[in-house]
Amino acid sequence: MVREWRRTRPFWAGLLLILGGTELLLVPLSPLTVLVSLGLGGIAAIGIGIALVVAGGFLWLLPHTRHYVSLNALILSVLSFAATNLGGFVVGMALGIAGSAMGFGWTPTPDDAAGRTKVRDHQGTRTLAVLLPRRSPVRWLYGLVGLPDRHWRVEPGAGESRVTSVRPA
């Protein structure tokens, strides 16, 4: 049962975020005299550490919010380098960055009736296709500069396309 629960959410990402937040909390939660000598860095470490632990809990309990939570955890982890004691001596910051990257990249996979995880068929959304230009790169760059592209023609060849100029001489 625990194994099935772990497979349906970004478990390891949440664990890394909780470990990173706990590491950031270790130094400031020492005796009060140490906290007073730390000053604002100690208070920032407590705030960022608690926020990273909460983000790890959110990844476990609400996996559909993984993108928003992971981006916030990444920002907090990077901010901890400047706001706390070098990001928990770089260990807490590194754990937070790794956990937020894993949480952002995690995708749920549907389970079949036998309870085994299916292999993805890579037929999901094609977000990269939105970023690619519909025209050839030469025409796209030509249009980016602001020049009209009516003087260019793409001639398909055997396996590759050629761009030729059709300007009158």
Side-chain angles (χ1 to χ4, degrees):
M1 174 151 162
V2 174
R3 190 174 191 174
E4 292 174 14
W5 180 82
R6 251 189 340 181
R7 289 181 183 226
T8 60
R9 55 204 74 243
F11 176 77
W12 296 109
L15 182 66
L16 286 178
L17 282 176
I18 290 173
L19 289 175
T22 305
E23 202 279 329
L24 285 172
L25 286 171
L26 284 179
V27 173
L29 290 181
S30 55
L32 185 61
T33 57
V34 175
L35 182 61
V36 170
S37 66
L38 285 176
L40 229 41
I43 295 171
I46 290 174
I48 293 174
I50 290 172
L52 286 179
V53 169
V54 168
F58 267 104
L59 284 181
W60 282 355
L61 300 175
L62 299 170
H64 62 278
T65 62
R66 66 188 178 277
H67 293 119
Y68 177 73
V69 171
S70 296
L71 285 177
N72 285 327
L74 178 68
I75 292 169
L76 286 172
S77 297
V78 173
L79 179 67
S80 73
F81 185 77
T84 66
N85 49 2
L86 295 178
F89 304 113
V90 182
V91 175
M93 180 186 69
L95 287 172
I97 290 172
S100 62
M102 287 173 65
F104 191 83
W106 179 81
T107 55
T109 56
D111 291 344
D112 61 2
R116 290 169 289 157
T117 304
K118 290 183 181 178
V119 178
R120 294 188 66 191
D121 58 356
H122 300 291
Q123 296 297 323
T125 58
R126 307 259 185 223
T127 55
L128 183 61
V130 173
L131 301 175
L132 296 175
R134 290 185 55 119
R135 300 184 287 175
S136 71
V138 172
R139 291 178 66 190
W140 183 75
L141 289 173
Y142 206 56
L144 186 67
V145 175
L147 300 173
D149 61 351
R150 63 176 182 252
H151 299 295
W152 296 95
R153 180 177 62 218
V154 177
E155 295 178 358
E160 63 181 48
S161 59
R162 256 184 12 213
V163 177
T164 59
S165 174
V166 290
R167 283 190 176 181

